[in-house]
PDB file of all heavy atoms in Angstrom:
ATOM      1  N   TRP A  43     115.972 -10.005 -21.012  1.00 98.00           N
ATOM      2  CA  TRP A  43     116.347  -9.701 -22.409  1.00 98.00           C
ATOM      3  C   TRP A  43     117.566  -8.795 -22.475  1.00 98.00           C
ATOM      4  O   TRP A  43     118.240  -8.702 -23.491  1.00 98.00           O
ATOM      5  CB  TRP A  43     115.154  -9.111 -23.165  1.00 98.00           C
ATOM      6  CG  TRP A  43     114.020 -10.085 -23.099  1.00 98.00           C
ATOM      7  CD1 TRP A  43     112.902  -9.987 -22.327  1.00 98.00           C
ATOM      8  CD2 TRP A  43     113.951 -11.364 -23.759  1.00 98.00           C
ATOM      9  NE1 TRP A  43     112.140 -11.112 -22.464  1.00 98.00           N
ATOM     10  CE2 TRP A  43     112.748 -11.966 -23.341  1.00 98.00           C
ATOM     11  CE3 TRP A  43     114.774 -12.043 -24.649  1.00 98.00           C
ATOM     12  CZ2 TRP A  43     112.356 -13.237 -23.798  1.00 98.00           C
ATOM     13  CZ3 TRP A  43     114.380 -13.298 -25.097  1.00 98.00           C
ATOM     14  CH2 TRP A  43     113.185 -13.874 -24.677  1.00 98.00           C
ATOM     15  N   ARG A  44     117.823  -8.097 -21.382  1.00 98.00           N
ATOM     16  CA  ARG A  44     119.063  -7.317 -21.289  1.00 98.00           C
ATOM     17  C   ARG A  44     120.224  -8.261 -20.977  1.00 98.00           C
ATOM     18  O   ARG A  44     121.309  -8.125 -21.522  1.00 98.00           O
ATOM     19  CB  ARG A  44     118.905  -6.275 -20.169  1.00 98.00           C
ATOM     20  CG  ARG A  44     120.159  -5.444 -19.898  1.00 98.00           C
ATOM     21  CD  ARG A  44     120.039  -4.696 -18.576  1.00 98.00           C
ATOM     22  NE  ARG A  44     120.007  -5.605 -17.451  1.00 98.00           N
ATOM     23  CZ  ARG A  44     119.133  -5.539 -16.450  1.00 98.00           C
ATOM     24  NH1 ARG A  44     118.234  -4.579 -16.391  1.00 98.00           N
ATOM     25  NH2 ARG A  44     119.165  -6.433 -15.469  1.00 98.00           N
ATOM     26  N   GLU A  45     119.972  -9.225 -20.100  1.00 98.00           N
ATOM     27  CA  GLU A  45     121.068 -10.061 -19.606  1.00 98.00           C
ATOM     28  C   GLU A  45     121.421 -11.215 -20.531  1.00 98.00           C
ATOM     29  O   GLU A  45     122.553 -11.654 -20.564  1.00 98.00           O
ATOM     30  CB  GLU A  45     120.718 -10.591 -18.215  1.00 98.00           C
ATOM     31  CG  GLU A  45     120.419  -9.441 -17.273  1.00 98.00           C
ATOM     32  CD  GLU A  45     120.770  -9.686 -15.828  1.00 98.00           C
ATOM     33  OE1 GLU A  45     121.038 -10.829 -15.472  1.00 98.00           O
ATOM     34  OE2 GLU A  45     120.756  -8.699 -15.081  1.00 98.00           O
ATOM     35  N   ASN A  46     120.442 -11.720 -21.256  1.00 98.00           N
ATOM     36  CA  ASN A  46     120.702 -12.860 -22.137  1.00 98.00           C
ATOM     37  C   ASN A  46     120.881 -12.371 -23.571  1.00 98.00           C
ATOM     38  O   ASN A  46     119.917 -11.962 -24.217  1.00 98.00           O
ATOM     39  CB  ASN A  46     119.556 -13.864 -22.071  1.00 98.00           C
ATOM     40  CG  ASN A  46     119.572 -14.639 -20.777  1.00 98.00           C
ATOM     41  OD1 ASN A  46     120.271 -15.647 -20.647  1.00 98.00           O
ATOM     42  ND2 ASN A  46     118.838 -14.151 -19.789  1.00 98.00           N
ATOM     43  N   THR A  47     122.124 -12.417 -24.023  1.00 98.00           N
ATOM     44  CA  THR A  47     122.421 -11.911 -25.381  1.00 98.00           C
ATOM     45  C   THR A  47     123.171 -12.979 -26.175  1.00 98.00           C
ATOM     46  O   THR A  47     123.864 -12.672 -27.130  1.00 98.00           O
ATOM     47  CB  THR A  47     123.276 -10.630 -25.295  1.00 98.00           C
ATOM     48  OG1 THR A  47     124.483 -10.953 -24.585  1.00 98.00           O
ATOM     49  CG2 THR A  47     122.559  -9.509 -24.574  1.00 98.00           C
ATOM     50  N   TYR A  48     123.024 -14.223 -25.760  1.00 98.00           N
ATOM     51  CA  TYR A  48     123.779 -15.301 -26.418  1.00 98.00           C
ATOM     52  C   TYR A  48     123.333 -15.473 -27.875  1.00 98.00           C
ATOM     53  O   TYR A  48     122.208 -15.108 -28.231  1.00 98.00           O
ATOM     54  CB  TYR A  48     123.623 -16.609 -25.627  1.00 98.00           C
ATOM     55  CG  TYR A  48     122.205 -17.097 -25.441  1.00 98.00           C
ATOM     56  CD1 TYR A  48     121.513 -17.738 -26.465  1.00 98.00           C
ATOM     57  CD2 TYR A  48     121.537 -16.932 -24.229  1.00 98.00           C
ATOM     58  CE1 TYR A  48     120.213 -18.194 -26.291  1.00 98.00           C
ATOM     59  CE2 TYR A  48     120.238 -17.385 -24.045  1.00 98.00           C
ATOM     60  CZ  TYR A  48     119.586 -18.019 -25.089  1.00 98.00           C
ATOM     61  OH  TYR A  48     118.301 -18.463 -24.928  1.00 98.00           O
ATOM     62  N   PRO A  49     124.210 -16.040 -28.718  1.00 98.00           N
ATOM     63  CA  PRO A  49     123.840 -16.225 -30.127  1.00 98.00           C
ATOM     64  C   PRO A  49     122.602 -17.116 -30.226  1.00 98.00           C
ATOM     65  O   PRO A  49     122.515 -18.126 -29.532  1.00 98.00           O
ATOM     66  CB  PRO A  49     125.049 -16.957 -30.723  1.00 98.00           C
ATOM     67  CG  PRO A  49     126.154 -16.821 -29.740  1.00 98.00           C
ATOM     68  CD  PRO A  49     125.557 -16.544 -28.399  1.00 98.00           C
ATOM     69  N   GLY A  50     121.670 -16.721 -31.045  1.00 97.00           N
ATOM     70  CA  GLY A  50     120.473 -17.542 -31.274  1.00 97.00           C
ATOM     71  C   GLY A  50     119.338 -17.246 -30.315  1.00 97.00           C
ATOM     72  O   GLY A  50     118.275 -17.857 -30.393  1.00 97.00           O
ATOM     73  N   ILE A  51     119.542 -16.267 -29.400  1.00 98.00           N
ATOM     74  CA  ILE A  51     118.477 -16.034 -28.419  1.00 98.00           C
ATOM     75  C   ILE A  51     117.213 -15.515 -29.096  1.00 98.00           C
ATOM     76  O   ILE A  51     117.248 -14.603 -29.922  1.00 98.00           O
ATOM     77  CB  ILE A  51     118.911 -15.079 -27.286  1.00 98.00           C
ATOM     78  CG1 ILE A  51     117.764 -14.969 -26.278  1.00 98.00           C
ATOM     79  CG2 ILE A  51     119.347 -13.719 -27.813  1.00 98.00           C
ATOM     80  CD1 ILE A  51     118.116 -14.342 -24.981  1.00 98.00           C
ATOM     81  N   ALA A  52     116.119 -16.164 -28.719  1.00 95.00           N
ATOM     82  CA  ALA A  52     114.805 -15.760 -29.229  1.00 95.00           C
ATOM     83  C   ALA A  52     113.801 -16.178 -28.175  1.00 95.00           C
ATOM     84  O   ALA A  52     114.141 -16.919 -27.258  1.00 95.00           O
ATOM     85  CB  ALA A  52     114.510 -16.488 -30.539  1.00 95.00           C
ATOM     86  N   CYS A  53     112.584 -15.674 -28.289  1.00 92.00           N
ATOM     87  CA  CYS A  53     111.548 -16.137 -27.373  1.00 92.00           C
ATOM     88  C   CYS A  53     110.749 -17.203 -28.102  1.00 92.00           C
ATOM     89  O   CYS A  53     110.263 -16.954 -29.206  1.00 92.00           O
ATOM     90  CB  CYS A  53     110.639 -14.983 -26.960  1.00 92.00           C
ATOM     91  SG  CYS A  53     109.473 -15.500 -25.708  1.00 92.00           S
ATOM     92  N   ASP A  54     110.614 -18.377 -27.485  1.00 88.00           N
ATOM     93  CA  ASP A  54     109.869 -19.418 -28.183  1.00 88.00           C
ATOM     94  C   ASP A  54     108.370 -19.347 -27.904  1.00 88.00           C
ATOM     95  O   ASP A  54     107.616 -20.214 -28.315  1.00 88.00           O
ATOM     96  CB  ASP A  54     110.455 -20.810 -27.909  1.00 88.00           C
ATOM     97  CG  ASP A  54     110.449 -21.163 -26.433  1.00 88.00           C
ATOM     98  OD1 ASP A  54     109.755 -20.482 -25.662  1.00 88.00           O
ATOM     99  OD2 ASP A  54     111.138 -22.130 -26.061  1.00 88.00           O
ATOM    100  N   VAL A  55     107.947 -18.306 -27.181  1.00 90.00           N
ATOM    101  CA  VAL A  55     106.522 -18.000 -27.077  1.00 90.00           C
ATOM    102  C   VAL A  55     106.246 -17.015 -28.220  1.00 90.00           C
ATOM    103  O   VAL A  55     107.012 -16.067 -28.411  1.00 90.00           O
ATOM    104  CB  VAL A  55     106.203 -17.352 -25.709  1.00 90.00           C
ATOM    105  CG1 VAL A  55     104.774 -16.844 -25.655  1.00 90.00           C
ATOM    106  CG2 VAL A  55     106.476 -18.341 -24.587  1.00 90.00           C
ATOM    107  N   PRO A  56     105.180 -17.234 -29.005  1.00 92.00           N
ATOM    108  CA  PRO A  56     104.964 -16.366 -30.169  1.00 92.00           C
ATOM    109  C   PRO A  56     104.972 -14.874 -29.800  1.00 92.00           C
ATOM    110  O   PRO A  56     104.373 -14.471 -28.803  1.00 92.00           O
ATOM    111  CB  PRO A  56     103.576 -16.791 -30.668  1.00 92.00           C
ATOM    112  CG  PRO A  56     103.415 -18.191 -30.179  1.00 92.00           C
ATOM    113  CD  PRO A  56     104.162 -18.288 -28.886  1.00 92.00           C
ATOM    114  N   SER A  57     105.656 -14.094 -30.610  1.00 95.00           N
ATOM    115  CA  SER A  57     105.838 -12.670 -30.293  1.00 95.00           C
ATOM    116  C   SER A  57     104.515 -11.927 -30.112  1.00 95.00           C
ATOM    117  O   SER A  57     104.422 -11.012 -29.289  1.00 95.00           O
ATOM    118  CB  SER A  57     106.630 -11.995 -31.410  1.00 95.00           C
ATOM    119  OG  SER A  57     107.911 -12.554 -31.456  1.00 95.00           O
TER     120      SER A  57
END
Side-chain angles (χ1 to χ4, degrees):
W43 303 105
R44 176 194 66 227
E45 303 211 348
N46 286 275
T47 59
Y48 58 78
I51 183 167
C53 186
D54 59 15
V55 172
S57 296

